[in-house]
Structures are given as C-alpha cells and as structure tokens.
Amino acid sequence: MTILVIVEHDNKTILPATLNTITAAAALLEPIEALIFGNELEDVAKQASTIASITKVLSANSEEYAHNLAENIAPLIQKIASDYSHIFAPATTFGKNIMPRVAALLDMMQISDIIEVISSDTFKRPIYAGNALATVKSSDPIKLITVRSTAFDMADLNGGSASIETITASGDSGLSEFKSSELSGSERPELTSAGIIISGGRGMQDGANFAMLENIADKLGAAVGASRAAVDAGFAPNDYQVGQTGKVVAPDLYMAVGISGAIQHLAGMKDSKVIVAINKDEEAPIFQVADYGLVADLFDAVPELENKLS
Amino acid sequence: MKIMVPVKRVIDYNVKVRVKQDQSGVELNNVKMAMNPFDEIAVEQALRIKEAGDADEIILVSIGPSQSQETIRTGLAMGADRGIFIEAPHETEPLSVAKLLANIAKQENPGLIICGKQAIDDDSNQTGQMMSALLGWSQATFASAVSLSANTALVTREIDGGLETISVKMPAVITVDLRLNEPRYASLPNIMKAKKKPIDVISIDTLGVDITPRLSVLKVEEPETRKAGIKVGSVEELLTKLQDEAKVI
Ligand SMILES: Cc1cc2nc3c(=O)[nH]c(=O)nc-3n(C[C@H](O)[C@H](O)[C@H](O)COP(=O)(O)OP(=O)(O)OC[C@H]3O[C@@H](n4cnc5c(N)ncnc54)[C@H](O)[C@@H]3O)c2cc1C
Ligand SMILES: Nc1ncnc2c1ncn2[C@@H]1O[C@H](COP(=O)(O)O)[C@@H](O)[C@H]1O
C-alpha cells in the first residue's frame, strides 16, 4: 500500500490544508508520496521533500498545470493512480474541483470531507451541514478522499529528505482556459489556519464598519471572517464566508459579532475551541453554542473591546 | 440550445435534522422537503439564459423517490419547460447519479448542464464534476457569474483566495454557488401552467447503469453538542474570561 497526497501550493509554499491532509493520510501508517503540479515547482517540491512522512515527491512541471484546471490535471492523476491504494487531497475549492473528476475517470466513488480515519477503508464525514456524522466504508480498490483540514493537525515541514522525481505531463485538454483572478491577498492569517477569528454578520450594517473588526484582528493577530448575509450584502469579500458552503474553521477563539447563528453558519465554526458571541438579541441561537455571550449593541461593545485591547 | 438542470429533493434547509435512534440515518418521515437550494439557483440561471435568447428549452432531471416529481414540478412552475424523472429504488451516490445524468445528456444533447455545487443533504460536492468527466466536457465549478458567447461560457468562480474567471468550451457543466443569482418565486398562474407541463418517467433499468453503492453507511450519529456557556455582563468581564479562564488571548 502506498498513498498519494495531492499538494496545493501557490508556487512559493505548500498551502496549510495540504499539511493537515498529510496528517490524515499518515494515520494509515503507510508510505506517502506527494504529487505536485504547476509551472514553478522548484521551491514547493523542495518543501514537500522535507516533510517527515513523505517518501517521494512527484513533480509535473508544465504550462498546462499553471492554473489548476481540472480538465488538465485529472488525466495526470488518473495516469498514475493505479500505483496507489489511497489518494488524498485537501477539501478546499482546489481539491473539491479536481478530485471528483479524477474519481469519475477511475470509476470510483469519492469520500468527501473526512474528519476521521477509522481504518484503511472506513472514514467518518459530516453530512447535513454537520448535524449528523456518517461512518462510511468504501468497497472501491482505490480510495479517493478529500480531507477537512480543521479535523487534523498540520504536518511539520522538517525531518524528511524525500527524493524528487519528475513525471511527464499529460497535455492540455483544450477544454478550458484561465482568464484572470482577483485574489484578496490580505496580510492577515488565512481563515482556515488562523488561531483567532473575528467574524461579522448582517448586524455590522455596512462594509465600512468591518474596519472595527479589522483593527481588533490586527491587535490579536487574527483573521477576519463573515456570515453569508454579510458577504451577500457586500460588506466583505466572498472568501471571508464561514459556513456550510463557505469555509470550515476551528480556531482557538472564534468571535461572532452581529451574527444570529443559523445552522449553515454554525456548520462552519462550531468546532472552534472557544466561541464568543456579541449580539443585541439575547434569544439569538448563536448564544446556544457560545462559551461567552455578551448581550450588547455591537456599536458600543466592539469599540470598547478595541480600546481595552490597546 | 437546450439546458439541462438536475434537481434534487432534500430536507428543507430550515429544518433541524434529527438522527434516527438506531443510527441508520436521519429522520425523513414527516419532514418538510424542498428543492436543494443550489438547484433553485441553477434553474434560475437557466431561465435567465433562456430569457436572454441564448437557450430555447430547459429540461429538469431528478433521480430519487416518486415525490421527486414534486421537486420537478416546482422547477416547472419557476418556468422550466419539461421534466425527466428517474425513480431510484434506494439512495443513490453521486457517481451513480452522474452516470444516469450523463446518459440522459447523451440522449438530449444539451449545450449546458447547470447544477448545484452541492446537495445540502450529503454535502458531497461531486456530481457536476463527475458528470463532466464522464461526458468528456469542460467544467466550471462554484460559479458566481456566467456569461455566454458563441461557443464558450465565461465563468467567474468562487475560490478560497477570492475569485477566478475561466473560459470553458461548450458543451459544459457549470455548478453554481449561492451568489450567482436570487431565484424567483413561482407565480400562481405559472404554478397552474406547470401542472400541464410534461414529465417523462424513465425506468432506471433502461439506462444500463449499475447503481450499487460503493460506500456503505455503517452508522450515522449525532455530533457532540457543545455544553452551554455563560453570559458575561460587560466587555471588561469578557476580556478577563478570555485571558484568565480560557487563556486564548
Ligand atoms: C443552502 C444554504 C447555504 C448557506 N450557507 C451559509 C454559509 O456557508 N454561511 C453562512 O453564514 N450562512 C449561510 N447560509 C445563510 C444562513 O441561513 C443565514 O441566512 C445567515 O447565516 C445569516 O447571516 P447573519 O447571521 O449575519 O444575519 P442575520 O440572521 O440577519 O443576523 C443578524 C444578527 O445581528 C444582530 N444584530 C443586528 N444589529 C446588531 C447590533 N447593533 N448589535 C449587535 N447585534 C446586532 C441581530 O440580533 C441578528 O442576530 C446559507 C443558507 C442556505 C439556504
Ligand atoms: N438525485 C439527484 N437528482 C438530480 N440531481 C442531483 C441528484 N443528486 C445530485 N444532483 C445534482 O448534483 C448537485 C450536487 O450534488 P452532490 O454531488 O450530491 O453534492 C446537486 O446540486 C444537483 O444539482
């Protein structure tokens, strides 16, 4: 048995969710190889080779992989899949886009968003926005798995010295083409790996008011998140959204400000270690999951919080 | 051009889901069901494309228990033209659904398949990508904007770091995200009209697809519930608790 982990990177570093994915794969105690594709791979291939549990790094360097187009990448993974018992990828938009395409090409059923490895064929995954947990056993010869990063620790980037092997590219499908991207590129920590998150909801009333949360975030080294209502209203960019259909986070501290606590929002943050809610409505469902609830007008409480943190 | 929209019947998103005592699944009896919210957005997008003159027929397809025909009916009342219903003897996995839908697509030859990015029951987020692979088509997942030209679709996608725009050749599979549009409500006259729109019932046996599940569900359990916390009286007290008790700042 050998396991393949699909690496997500930004040409400079391996992205954190891949490190959580490696920890999930390592639970099976089998050799793990890492597949890296793109068109600027030197730094990331070296980085992958330093991870203790990685025994080999496969690097596919070619123009057609520059933008992670699933139509180009799925055939590459399909070509090498038979060497592996398991293929793991992070359940990020990158992994969710590519892996089902690979699964269908291989005629295998993917196991999405696992939160626990029970044995080599049995895994636990949330369904119904995390209101139920299903334990599923796969009968497929190769298990294709995406991993919920918050459920596993990050693998260390040291202690390993894997070999790096170049593999040949599979060509351009000609089906789709990258045009442009608009990345938020904030200086703050990434939502999914931040230790502290402060999120705003519809109660923030205005995008400009998010500056209050940003100031607090900067004092605490925190990331800023949002509810869907806040994103839909244009208060915050889409990649701030926490929840069933946004990002799933589990920081040490999650502060929900002006967020009511709909099940779809709770689905994305209820595994946080400590939850704080600031809401003027004492009946708001967010208080049912909050360790510390403050019933207050956020326009009083948040500026006071900011002052007291200085 | 035809547009095909797969629609799934799921537990209404407002319902608090309950796990069955025997851990075999979640309680579906006497629970309000509805069209998967993402699929409503997919239907709406298809309607807008048709209204812009870029499509002439919208076909809804649903696989599931016989009540799934009500879900098709809901989409017909929004304005879609006809439905195809495939009755499934048991719950179907995304791989089986994708195979069945790909089969229908080969018969109908749509220029676009627009589907939800995920069903809010299984939260799989797989079917669209799988269908696209099986058909050898292009895919544009998590769409928050779509514009069509002669043979291509320009799609803005919601990705973890922000937004990305790609151009895909048609025929294509597009999976939709929440911000693509606001689905319309069906008007009473349209609900009446929808009763007369055709729904073809296709027997699963005629499609030659093995729908035996690859995953067996060993158990379904409730997640651990958080123990109720406390209310603090002031910002001061909140900070003290976070520093001295929880030790998180
Ligand atoms: C398929 C589907 C998927 C979804 N996915 C997500 C998801 O991923 N993430 C997500 O967040 N939502 C999601 N939603 C939406 C979700 O159902 C809720 O509509 C949304 O979370 C509400 O956001 P909110 O709490 O900011 O707004 P509201 O529910 O409007 O709550 C605003 C809160 O702010 C409080 N407030 C107002 N003014 C003040 C003030 N001055 N001071 C203090 N408090 C104040 C109010 O008391 C209220 O509790 C999804 C919905 C569907 C159907
Ligand atoms: N049984 C089904 N019938 C029709 N469409 C479905 C069915 N299952 C999934 N789909 C479509 O595939 C999308 C993604 O579902 P999933 O991969 O299960 O998360 C849904 O939003 C629907 O558009």
Side-chain angles (χ1 to χ4, degrees):
Chain A
M1 268 186 22
T2 306
I3 299 167
L4 184 68
V5 170
I6 312 294
V7 176
E8 180 178 9
H9 63 87
D10 61 4
N11 292 331
K12 290 188 234 39
T13 56
I14 296 178
L15 297 185
T18 300
L19 301 175
N20 307 103
T21 302
I22 290 169
T23 300
L28 292 172
L29 306 172
E30 299 289 344
I32 303 174
E33 300 185 0
L35 172 66
I36 302 196
F37 41 79
N39 67 340
E40 270 176 66
L41 295 180
E42 215 169 296
D43 294 349
V44 273
K46 267 199 207 117
Q47 222 180 45
S49 70
T50 66
I51 300 169
S53 49
I54 302 291
T55 54
K56 196 201 285 182
V57 177
L58 306 176
S59 150
N61 198 328
S62 194
E63 198 47 47
E64 68 264 28
Y65 302 136
H67 298 291
N68 293 331
L69 295 168
E71 299 89 328
N72 291 348
I73 291 157
L76 173 75
I77 302 174
Q78 182 190 16
K79 208 170 59 173
I80 59 173
S82 61
D83 293 344
Y84 302 96
S85 58
H86 297 74
I87 305 179
F88 282 75
T92 54
T93 52
F94 160 90
K96 288 174 179 171
N97 185 47
I98 294 171
M99 284 291 272
R101 195 169 180 102
V102 177
L105 293 178
L106 294 170
D107 190 24
M108 315 250 171
M109 179 55 205
Q110 172 182 308
I111 309 149
S112 295
D113 245 323
I114 66 157
I115 56 168
E116 195 181 328
V117 174
I118 291 169
S119 71
S120 67
D121 62 5
T122 305
F123 308 89
K124 198 179 276 192
R125 60 176 303 263
I127 53 176
Y128 291 93
N131 287 305
L133 304 176
T135 300
V136 296
K137 181 181 163 101
S138 164
S139 61
D140 279 325
I142 306 175
K143 319 297 184 228
L144 284 108
I145 293 161
T146 63
V147 175
R148 176 165 291 195
S149 62
T150 51
F152 301 90
D153 292 335
M154 278 194 248
D156 281 336
L157 283 168
N158 59 55
S161 57
S163 59
I164 301 175
E165 188 178 298
T166 306
I167 60 170
T168 45
S170 53
D172 191 336
S173 72
L175 288 171
S176 63
E177 199 187 325
F178 171 82
K179 290 292 186 190
S180 62
S181 61
E182 250 177 82
L183 303 180
S184 315
S186 133
E187 296 295 300
R188 293 190 193 92
E190 236 222 309
L191 260 181
T192 49
S193 51
I196 302 179
I197 296 174
I198 179 159
S199 286
R202 201 196 310 268
M204 296 299 294
Q205 282 179 18
D206 196 321
N209 294 332
F210 263 72
M212 298 192 293
L213 306 186
E214 282 159 9
N215 290 339
I216 292 177
D218 291 341
K219 286 185 177 157
L220 295 174
V224 179
S227 71
R228 177 188 171 198
V231 174
D232 283 0
F235 304 171
N238 67 282
D239 58 310
Y240 278 33
Q241 182 175 317
V242 170
Q244 182 184 18
T245 50
K247 290 185 175 137
V248 177
V249 300
D252 293 331
L253 173 61
Y254 186 89
M255 292 201 253
V257 181
I259 293 178
S260 62
I263 34 180
Q264 294 86 8
H265 188 79
L266 300 186
M269 44 65 78
K270 70 177 160 59
D271 293 329
S272 304
K273 213 180 275 162
V274 174
I275 297 175
V276 168
I278 301 179
N279 197 306
K280 67 177 180 190
D281 172 10
E282 64 177 315
E283 302 290 315
I286 190 78
F287 288 123
Q288 292 164 18
V289 299
D291 299 281
Y292 303 109
L294 178 61
V295 181
D297 190 312
L298 72 91
F299 294 101
D300 300 327
V302 174
E304 191 185 337
L305 182 64
E306 188 191 334
N307 274 331
K308 293 220 157 82
L309 281 171
S310 322
Chain B
M1 176 177 83
K2 291 185 199 175
I3 302 178
M4 181 170 130
V5 183
V7 293
K8 186 176 190 188
R9 176 182 159 87
V10 298
I11 293 189
D12 185 274
Y13 80 95
N14 279 313
V15 170
K16 170 94 184 78
V17 169
R18 282 184 213 292
V19 172
K20 282 192 201 158
Q21 282 293 323
D22 67 358
Q23 299 197 320
S24 63
V26 307
E27 193 55 70
L28 294 176
N29 281 335
N30 298 319
V31 170
K32 185 172 174 223
M33 305 293 282
M35 185 187 294
N36 183 38
F38 291 97
D39 303 354
E40 289 182 359
I41 295 169
V43 173
E44 176 63 35
Q45 196 61 27
L47 293 171
R48 291 185 189 189
I49 293 171
K50 188 181 168 193
E51 284 158 1
D54 292 328
D56 36 49
E57 191 181 33
I58 300 168
I59 307 157
L60 308 179
V61 189
S62 194
I63 299 156
S66 65
Q67 300 94 319
S68 306
Q69 293 182 73
E70 291 163 21
T71 308
I72 295 177
R73 215 45 92 184
T74 307
L76 295 176
M78 288 172 73
D81 298 289
R82 65 182 167 96
I84 296 175
F85 166 61
I86 303 169
E87 180 152 8
H90 52 77
E91 280 196 36
T92 41
E93 291 173 344
L95 182 64
S96 309
V97 172
K99 287 179 182 175
L100 294 166
L101 292 171
N103 256 347
I104 301 291
K106 282 180 191 149
Q107 295 169 24
E108 297 283 352
N109 287 309
L112 277 180
I113 301 177
I114 309 181
C115 67
K117 80 162 177 180
Q118 85 195 55
I120 62 162
D121 51 3
D122 61 31
D123 283 332
S124 292
N125 197 327
Q126 301 178 5
T127 306
Q129 297 88 313
M130 287 182 156
M131 215 174 3
S132 170
L134 296 171
L135 291 163
W137 293 5
S138 60
Q139 75 178 49
T141 49
F142 325 144
S144 65
V146 174
S147 70
L148 302 186
S149 54
N151 301 310
T152 57
L154 198 63
V155 178
T156 302
R157 308 179 51 232
E158 293 205 1
I159 57 172
D160 288 332
L163 296 170
E164 166 186 284
T165 302
I166 60 172
S167 158
V168 296
K169 276 201 181 137
M170 297 206 289
V173 175
I174 297 175
T175 80
V176 305
D177 219 315
L178 291 170
R179 271 171 287 279
L180 179 59
N181 61 47
E182 282 251 9
R184 69 193 65 188
Y185 289 102
S187 66
L188 195 59
N190 284 344
I191 293 173
M192 300 312 290
K193 257 194 258 170
K195 294 195 169 139
K196 299 200 190 75
K197 292 182 181 174
I199 297 179
D200 284 336
V201 180
I202 298 187
S203 159
I204 208 158
D205 310 323
T206 63
L207 293 170
V209 173
D210 179 4
I211 58 159
T212 314
R214 309 291 183 83
L215 302 182
S216 49
V217 178
L218 304 185
K219 82 174 167 194
V220 174
E221 63 200 312
E222 298 245 10
E224 258 177 63
T225 46
R226 290 185 79 95
K227 66 169 172 36
I230 58 160
K231 291 260 170 60
V232 292
S234 65
V235 171
E236 188 81 61
E237 190 188 344
L238 175 63
L239 276 174
T240 313
K241 292 282 186 200
L242 292 179
Q243 280 158 350
D244 303 342
E245 191 177 271
K247 299 190 168 51
V248 282
I249 60 172

